[in-house]
Amino acid sequence: MGTSVQVTPLSGVYNENPLSYLVSIDGFNFLIDCGWNDHFDPSLLQPLSKVASKIDAVLISYGDMLHLGALPFAMKQFGLNAPVFSTEPVYRLGLLTMYDQSFSRKAVSEFDLFSLDDIDSAFQNFTRLTYSQNHHLSGKGEGIVIAPHVAGHLLGGTVWKITKDGEDVVYAVDFNHRKERHLNGTVLESFYRPAVLITDAYNALNSQPSRQQRDKQFLETILKTLEGGGNVLIPVDSAGRVLELLLILEHFWGQRFLNSPIFFLSYVSSSTIDYIKSFLEWMSDSIAKSFETSRDNAFLMKHVTLLIGKEDLDNASTGPKVVLASVASLEAGFSHDIFAEWAADVKNLVLFTERGQFGTLARMLQADPPPKAVKMTMSRRVPLVGDELIAYEEEQKRLKREEELKASLIKEEELKVSHGPENNLSDPMVIDSGNTHPPLDVVGSRGSGHRDVLIDGFVPPSTSVAPMFPFYENSLEWDEFGEVINPDDYVVQDEDMDQSTMHVGGDIDGKFDEGSASLILDTKPSKVVSNELTVQVKCSLIYMDYEGRSDGRSIKSILTHVAPLKLVLVHGSAEATEHLKQHFLNIKNVQVYAPQIEETIDVTSDLCAYKVQLSEKLMSNVLFKKLGDYEVAWVDAEVGKTENDMLSILPISSPAPPHKPVLVGDLKMADFKQFLASKGVQVEFAGGALRCGEYVTLRKVGNPSQKGGTSGTQQIIIEGPLCEDYYKIREYLYSQFYLL
């Protein structure tokens, strides 16, 4: 049998709920993504709570709420305690996203599902990987290799490839094949025939206009509103798709020399852009090349102002403006409050760039036709005064007294345990905690003879002549160069640096803006005051697709090219999931699955794979030849069993049959041209062939590549009369290969 693979959806199948899936590979349990919605609905996490303690590793593909929003809560409440793997941008921007969500909720409610400390604690479990980095798991996961690959959609977005015994399990959701201003397209098409491919059907029914047409419509719509004296509100995420929108607006404002201000408003806006400036190597080739050639950082924006508080926006220009404000769902955050203020003005525009989550205000406003009025809850924090403040302070004092009493009782119990029943209270080194009056000989005058030294909690060892503190001699090792040191003692660990930058009470300036830090440090007693109001929706409401996902036509084309042996469909409406399922059921050699929540499907490969060991007797007679970073050899052997019943490759018992010589190597004609030129041979390309001297021609024929980028069968034909040049060129050609 092949590698055992089971997939169990925990959230996000046959609907647009957050993504979370349990993937078991030979008994090793991966939790791939751990998302939550903007309602923070605990019922969505019930399936996760049942398996959280069994998770061995967590893989996070994107740094937004739908992919990692539940991670702090799951680690705090469900006992999820496993290493988490992601790319560096997903780790950094995911952390800021969670902070922004926490700030937005606590500003308008008694949010207690998780705290900033819970977020810090969860993100300390992260291990960051670079694209295409193979990470070998150990222990229970021995033999499993995980590797992140470019997915597009969001900065650091990941297509995960999990490999075990030569079989690949690929997890690719929300990918984008299109190259954007700040991101390259996905590399999913470079994979070919994985054993299992888990992907989504979210965009299976959607089509997209060209990028130029979409950008033109986007900018013209904004410009028309500004020229009409209106304001533009664009609800955005904290640190995801907003980056693409900022670059579009920055570029357009610079081209048109526009004066209308652009504001990016979130609790972590400045911190987000500061981090983004250091992630250029994760962005598109054009951004990286621009920085390499001219040191031009695309996110040193001249036309975008970063704000971290609503009062900053209120104090800004009173004229028409563009505001990108979090949160995208309009359920909380600055976008919620701004919409309530601007919705009643017919000149204003609310421009949605992504589909709202189900049941949110944004989704309601994207309906066709949109509602003419909506009910909203407006909440704000106000300081406690009068009787409320007095009652709060008395309650805090009572809680403090209870904590002190509890601490003192615990201390007394610890002293009784440490002293033990055999200890005599007359021992001068033991203090009776219940006796508050010191002995007379201690209170006496300074010259009143000998006194006992009373040290709380110190019990002298029974072998000591007199009471003394323990002393441990630190023995040092020396060699001919001096004292032997351990270099690891002088290395600053990444975890220590991350903890110092993440810890709220430590270096706040390293993580937050002044306004965000003040929210953390503000410990003034306060309460939340809420009121219901009906908002008349007279402003324009427009949706344009800037989600950064491949459309339905592209998804079908890419998945057909990848040609997985088994296809598992997740995350998408029931209609979209069934549409994509039926499409691939009509394709031969593909098994399609679309499981329900908590339904475990077995997608174990039908291939037979066996583990064999190379016997020492065989290896001792093998002659290896160096080939780049590898060594290769021709082996004639047979499979047998060892004494411990393990399969092993053994030397053949009969003489090895002769075999045709094999030339190993990959010759590039351009490199061979330079080699011949260095040998004094006149050489040039002509008609797709390499002309060597006057008579000899080299031509490469055959399929240069197969699907997935693997090498195909190629032949190099040498043409010309049998002359001295022919044999010399052939000898040079053979020298470029290894003969087995």
Side-chain angles (χ1 to χ4, degrees), residues 45-95:
L45 305 183
Q46 285 301 315
L48 174 60
S49 66
K50 301 175 183 178
V51 299
S53 60
K54 303 176 183 178
I55 302 299
D56 298 306
V58 182
L59 307 181
I60 301 296
S61 52
Y62 301 96
D64 61 354
M65 281 292 298
L66 288 176
H67 296 86
L68 59 69
L71 199 58
F73 184 81
M75 289 190 170
K76 175 184 178 182
Q77 299 292 344
F78 299 156
L80 176 61
N81 184 21
V84 185
F85 297 92
S86 76
T87 59
E88 182 72 22
V90 167
Y91 164 76
R92 296 291 180 187
L93 302 183
L95 180 63

Side-chain angles (χ1 to χ4, degrees), residues 296-370:
D296 179 25
N297 193 315
F299 284 91
L300 289 174
M301 294 176 291
K302 301 177 182 178
H303 304 92
V304 178
T305 303
L306 307 177
L307 304 179
I308 56 173
K310 179 67 164 50
E311 62 279 0
D312 298 330
L313 180 64
D314 296 336
N315 297 330
S317 171
T318 57
K321 61 181 76 70
V322 179
V323 178
L324 298 92
S326 64
V327 181
S329 64
L330 296 179
E331 286 298 301
F334 298 121
S335 60
H336 175 273
D337 297 341
I338 295 173
F339 173 78
E341 294 180 14
W342 292 3
D345 193 337
V346 69
K347 294 184 294 183
N348 293 335
L349 166 67
V350 178
L351 180 55
F352 297 100
T353 57
E354 61 181 73
R355 276 170 285 178
Q357 298 177 23
F358 184 78
T360 62
L361 178 58
R363 187 64 167 256
M364 188 187 308
L365 294 171
Q366 292 170 17
D368 187 17

Side-chain angles (χ1 to χ4, degrees), residues 3 46 80 86 164 193 230 259 279 287-288 319 365 405 439 441-442 463 468 477 494 600 610 616 643 653 705:
T3 301
Q46 285 301 315
L80 176 61
S86 76
K164 176 74 181 292
R193 300 296 282 173
N259 296 322
F279 288 153
I287 287 182
L365 294 171
L405 178 60
D441 59 340
V442 176
T463 58
M468 60 183 293
E477 296 183 9
D494 292 341
T600 300
Y610 301 92
E616 294 183 4
E643 296 177 355
S653 55
S705 64

Side-chain angles (χ1 to χ4, degrees), residues 367-607:
D368 187 17
K372 296 182 179 180
V374 293
K375 291 185 177 181
M376 298 182 64
T377 301
M378 302 301 296
S379 303
R380 60 189 178 94
R381 281 198 171 274
V382 297
L384 296 179
V385 294
D387 295 339
E388 289 181 332
L389 179 58
I390 295 173
Y392 173 84
E393 291 175 344
E394 290 179 351
E395 178 66 15
Q396 294 300 309
K397 291 178 181 178
R398 185 186 66 80
L399 294 175
K400 185 177 181 181
R401 286 194 300 268
E402 290 181 355
E403 291 178 0
E404 291 176 349
L405 178 60
K406 185 177 179 181
S408 64
L409 292 175
I410 293 174
K411 187 174 182 181
E412 288 183 12
E413 291 296 328
E414 290 176 349
L415 285 175
K416 291 179 181 179
V417 173
S418 63
H419 292 161
E422 298 180 359
N423 289 334
N424 192 344
L425 289 178
S426 63
D427 191 327
M429 300 305 296
V430 179
I431 295 178
D432 183 2
S433 59
N435 184 6
T436 58
H437 302 285
L440 293 177
D441 59 340
V442 176
V443 185
S445 63
R446 186 176 182 83
S448 60
H450 297 287
R451 296 178 299 175
D452 289 328
V453 180
L454 303 182
I455 304 172
D456 187 9
F458 175 69
V459 180
S462 58
T463 58
S464 62
V465 178
M468 60 183 293
F469 286 101
F471 172 73
Y472 303 99
E473 183 177 0
N474 185 17
S475 59
L476 303 176
E477 296 183 9
W478 297 78
D479 58 18
E480 58 270 25
F481 299 103
E483 180 185 345
V484 177
I485 65 173
N486 182 8
D488 294 338
D489 294 340
Y490 300 90
V491 176
V492 178
Q493 301 293 334
D494 292 341
E495 292 81 1
D496 297 336
M497 295 185 65
D498 295 336
Q499 187 173 3
S500 64
T501 57
M502 286 196 305
H503 189 61
V504 173
D507 181 13
I508 293 176
D509 293 334
K511 175 61 65 177
F512 298 111
D513 314 300
E514 182 180 349
S516 300
S518 65
L519 291 172
I520 304 171
L521 299 178
D522 186 9
T523 57
K524 296 178 182 177
S526 62
K527 66 176 181 179
V528 175
V529 177
S530 303
N531 64 296
E532 299 282 341
L533 63 107
T534 300
V535 176
Q536 300 297 322
V537 182
K538 298 181 180 179
C539 63
S540 300
L541 301 172
I542 296 178
Y543 166 73
M544 294 186 185
D545 186 357
Y546 273 90
E547 294 179 344
R549 295 182 175 95
S550 294
D551 60 4
R553 180 172 175 270
S554 301
I555 290 172
K556 296 172 185 175
S557 175
I558 293 171
L559 297 186
T560 301
H561 177 84
V562 174
L565 298 177
K566 298 188 177 183
L567 178 65
V568 181
L569 298 178
V570 297
H571 195 238
S573 65
E575 184 182 2
T577 302
E578 285 298 324
H579 172 81
L580 200 59
K581 179 180 179 180
Q582 292 301 320
H583 174 82
F584 282 100
L585 283 175
N586 297 326
I587 299 178
K588 295 181 179 179
N589 302 324
V590 179
Q591 300 180 40
V592 186
Y593 303 84
Q596 299 285 350
I597 295 293
E598 295 188 274
E599 176 189 354
T600 300
I601 58 172
D602 190 340
V603 286
T604 299
S605 173
D606 299 328
L607 301 176

Side-chain angles (χ1 to χ4, degrees), residues 11-28:
S11 175
V13 290
Y14 280 99
N15 55 43
E16 298 176 5
N17 286 340
L19 297 85
S20 183
Y21 311 100
L22 177 67
V23 179
S24 300
I25 298 180
D26 281 349
F28 189 89

